[in-house]
Every structure is written in structure tokens, then in C-alpha cells.
Amino acid sequence: MNKVLILVNITGLIIGISYGLHGPILPVFAKNVIGATYSELGFIGLANFIPYMFIPLFVGILLDRFNNGYLLALGTAINSTSIYLLSIAQLVPEIMGFRIMTGVAHAFFWPPCESIISNESSEKNRVKNISWFTMFFVIGFMVGPLLGTVFLEGLDITYRILFQITAFILAATLISSILVSRKSVRNHHEHFSFSSIKEMKRFPEVIILLLFCTSSFGIILTIYPAFLNDNGMTDTDILLLFFVFGISRVVSLALAGKFARKTSQTLIAAVFAVSAGLAISVVADSIATFAIALVLMGFGFSIFFPLTLEIILSKTKKGISGKIIGAYETVFGMGWAIGPTIGGPLTQSLGDNTPYIVFCIIGIGVALLAITYRKKLEPQRTLY
């Protein structure tokens, strides 16, 4: 692994720690300290993810014109600031405003990292390198909740101080981002274009799969912690459950190269796993059963990312790889926005279990669709 990939992986690890440190506890903070309802939790999630419906498309255009390391450093600075500001939030609209900043920042973090990895990889090791980067991020996301447990329980700090600590940890990635910028060069000089939107239209099956998985993932990130809290899970229980969630994701990503040998079958299994995890969540009544649900969803949410990206990149001209990555991430943003937007009001009006039942049923339908069109869920070249 070359130095650029090592630096990108270190960046992903630190950002993952910061996300894991504050992400699972933010909905609990908003509900118990600020007094947010489930509908408002959904709006907070929407505020976080809605920039990701648009910004990655523009970032994707920039990726083929500017040093990707500089874009990554910009995202890091915005992200650190937005999380620090959470420590002074007093109202739901303030939290929403700060989460909009986080969504913009994430668009300047993830696509540049993917682009750097793609440019530094051959077609043969691209899936492995993207999986390793995602795995480092998820390892951080897994370690973060454990650190949160130490801070909240061991040191007895407040949620607000936890957000400040998170911001300072995240700021450390500026160092690795700047180092990446010294080694990252522009490989293309494309004119500004939205051709990537047309390119994405070639993959309707992948888009449907992504929208289901990211919508469900959005609910798990924004509403599920509060759902756990209402079902008797303490702050420590929630952080431990997300640690288990992280373990499942890390193991899945570590095996992504082997799973890629049977891409379509793996993606079908991933959708079924997410649906099963949602179904178990409806009937779960202990930390053990919630852990089983999160293990299943951890596999599903993690494995679909490198495999679907490889399907698209393998069928796309390298000259517009930055733009297609931006368009791909825009689909992510759409799903992440859809999940909280639907999940919050469903919970508020029809009960805690409703969004998980609804998305479980949708998932079964998506899995059946994937089985029908499984030949289109394979990369263009078989490299394994």
C-alpha cells in the first residue's frame, strides 16, 4: 500500500472515530436535553443529509479539476467546526443548521477520498482498496462509541463537552489531509459538465438498491438510537450496541474482496440481511436481540458500498471517474435524506416500530427485484 493510500486510510480512521464518538449519542441528546420529538429527530437527520443530495455532484466536478487533498482539507475544517457548534446548541433549529454544515463537510470528505483511492488503484485492486478505506473509517466508527462510554460514564462529562472533544479529534485530520494534498495531483482537466447524471441513468437497478440501503441506514443513524433509548437501553448500552454494529461492518469489509467474486449474490444477501435486522428490531426486547439486529444490518450496509461502486466504475470511462463518484454519492444523499424524512413522522404518528416494519417490507421487494435483474448487478470485467 503506497503512502497516499496510507494517509487516506488514517484520515478515514480519525473521522470515523469522531463520527462514532458523537453520532449515536446526538439523537439522545436532542431528545432528552433539547426536547426534540421523533418528527424533529427526522428533520435533524434530513438537515444532515439533504446537502449530500446536491453537493457531491459539484464536488465530483471539482475532483477532476483541483487537488483532491485540498478539497479533503476543506471538508475537515467545516466538519470540525460544525460538531463544535453542537456543544452550544439550545434549540432544534440550531442543531439542524449545524447538521447542514456537517452534511456539506461530508461531501468534501468522502468523494475526494474515493477519487484519490481510485486514481491510486488498478482495476484489479480497486475494490480491495476502497474496502480497506471504508474499513478504517468503520473501525474508527466502532472505537468512537467505546471512547464515548469512557467519557460519559468513566469521566462523567456532559454531552456538550463530548461534542467539543469530538471536534478537536476531527481537527487532527487536517494534518493528514495536507500531507495527501502534497502527493495528490490532478489527473484530468475536464470542462464543467453534468454528464455524470446521464451516466448514472444507465444503472437503475443499482440506484434502487442504493436508495433502499441508504434510506434504511439513515433511519439507523438518526432515529434508531432514540428508539433504543425508549426501549430501555441506556447511553452505555446504545454505545456498546453501535460498537457491535461496527464490528460487523469491519468484518464484512475485510471480506469484501472475497464477496466480490459473487457480487450479485452478495448484494441480494445484503438486502435480505438489512430486512431481517429491521424485522428483529421490531420484536427485540433485550440488548442481545438488538445486537443481532445490528450485526445483520452492519453486514448489509457495509458490503453494498464497495461492490456497487465497483459495478459503476467498471462500466465508466476513467476520464469522468470523479464526476461519476460525485453522482454516485448524490444517490447516497438522496437515500439518507429519504430515510429520516419518512421515518421520523411515521414514528411520531403511527408508533415506534412502524418505520422498521415499512422498510422491512420494502427491502423484501427490493431483494426480489435484485434477484430478477441479478445479471446487471455484476461488474463489467471479472477480475477475481
Side-chain angles (χ1 to χ4, degrees):
M1 187 178 293
N2 64 37
K3 292 181 179 179
V4 173
L5 293 178
I6 291 173
L7 289 171
V8 171
N9 288 339
I10 290 173
T11 302
L13 175 68
I14 298 173
I15 292 179
I17 290 173
S18 70
Y19 279 25
L21 191 58
H22 86 283
I25 215 67
L26 177 59
V28 180
F29 165 76
K31 182 173 74 74
N32 293 344
V33 177
I34 305 297
T37 65
Y38 270 103
S39 291
E40 288 173 330
L41 289 180
F43 288 130
I44 290 171
L46 175 64
N48 188 11
F49 298 134
I50 201 167
Y52 215 72
M53 295 174 61
F54 309 104
I55 305 300
L57 197 60
F58 293 96
V59 174
I61 294 171
L62 298 176
L63 291 176
D64 291 328
R65 296 179 61 85
F66 299 102
N67 188 305
N68 295 343
Y70 293 152
L71 299 176
L72 178 57
L74 175 61
T76 296
I78 298 172
N79 213 346
S80 180
T81 302
S82 69
I83 295 175
Y84 183 86
L85 289 172
L86 287 173
S87 68
I88 63 173
Q90 300 292 337
L91 302 171
V92 169
E94 290 179 338
I95 297 178
M96 291 175 62
F98 301 148
R99 296 312 276 174
I100 288 174
M101 289 179 61
T102 303
V104 172
H106 195 73
F108 280 90
F109 155 59
W110 203 269
C113 286
E114 289 174 338
S115 180
I116 292 168
I117 294 167
S118 179
N119 291 333
E120 294 289 331
S121 304
S122 66
E123 292 179 353
K124 185 176 181 179
N125 62 15
R126 186 165 53 199
V127 168
K128 183 185 72 174
N129 288 341
I130 289 176
S131 297
W132 272 83
F133 163 70
T134 311
M135 185 175 68
F136 272 93
F137 174 81
V138 173
I139 288 173
F141 197 88
M142 178 181 67
V143 172
L146 290 183
L147 290 177
T149 300
V150 172
F151 288 132
L152 291 175
E153 297 292 329
L155 301 179
D156 196 29
I157 68 170
T158 65
Y159 294 138
R160 295 183 186 278
I161 295 177
L162 181 67
F163 296 148
Q164 294 175 3
I165 293 172
T166 300
F168 290 126
I169 291 174
L170 182 55
T173 57
L174 279 170
I175 298 173
S176 56
S177 299
I178 292 171
L179 291 174
V180 167
S181 70
R182 294 179 178 178
K183 298 178 179 295
S184 178
V185 296
R186 288 176 290 171
N187 293 324
H188 312 294
H189 301 273
E190 297 284 322
H191 295 292
F192 280 87
S193 168
F194 292 99
S195 59
S196 55
I197 297 176
K198 295 180 180 179
E199 288 288 322
M200 284 298 295
K201 289 181 179 179
R202 296 169 48 212
F203 309 102
E205 299 82 12
V206 175
I207 289 174
I208 291 172
L209 200 70
L210 286 174
L211 287 176
F212 165 71
C213 288
T214 50
S215 295
S216 303
F217 202 179
I219 289 175
I220 298 305
L221 292 177
T222 60
I223 297 174
Y224 201 72
F227 169 73
L228 292 173
N229 186 243
D230 283 345
N231 279 271
M233 299 295 107
T234 66
D235 291 348
T236 300
D237 292 336
I238 293 169
L239 291 170
L240 289 175
L241 283 168
F242 273 85
F243 173 70
V244 172
F245 182 58
I247 291 176
S248 174
R249 296 186 67 196
V250 168
V251 172
S252 300
L253 289 164
L255 298 175
K258 294 183 178 180
F259 285 132
R261 297 170 185 171
K262 296 183 178 180
T263 299
S264 61
Q265 294 95 321
T266 300
L267 290 174
I268 291 166
V271 176
F272 275 123
V274 171
S275 298
L278 293 169
I280 292 172
S281 297
V282 174
V283 299
D285 58 359
S286 67
I287 190 171
T289 47
F290 279 121
I292 293 171
L294 283 167
V295 165
L296 289 170
M297 290 189 287
F299 162 72
F301 291 143
S302 301
I303 203 65
F304 82 90
F305 162 65
L307 299 191
T308 52
L309 182 58
E310 177 60 20
I311 292 171
I312 291 172
L313 289 179
S314 71
K315 300 176 182 179
T316 302
K317 294 183 296 183
K318 190 174 181 62
I320 62 168
S321 61
K323 298 184 186 70
I324 201 69
I325 287 172
Y328 174 84
E329 292 298 327
T330 293
V331 176
F332 263 67
M334 292 173 62
W336 276 337
I338 289 170
T341 302
I342 295 176
L346 279 177
T347 301
Q348 189 70 29
S349 58
L350 299 177
D352 291 1
N353 293 327
T354 308
Y356 311 106
I357 296 172
V358 170
F359 276 84
C360 174
I361 295 171
I362 293 173
I364 294 172
V366 171
L368 294 176
L369 180 70
I371 291 171
T372 303
Y373 295 98
R374 59 186 177 276
K375 290 184 179 179
K376 295 185 178 181
L377 296 175
E378 292 287 348
Q380 183 168 292
R381 293 171 295 277
T382 304
L383 302 172
Y384 307 97

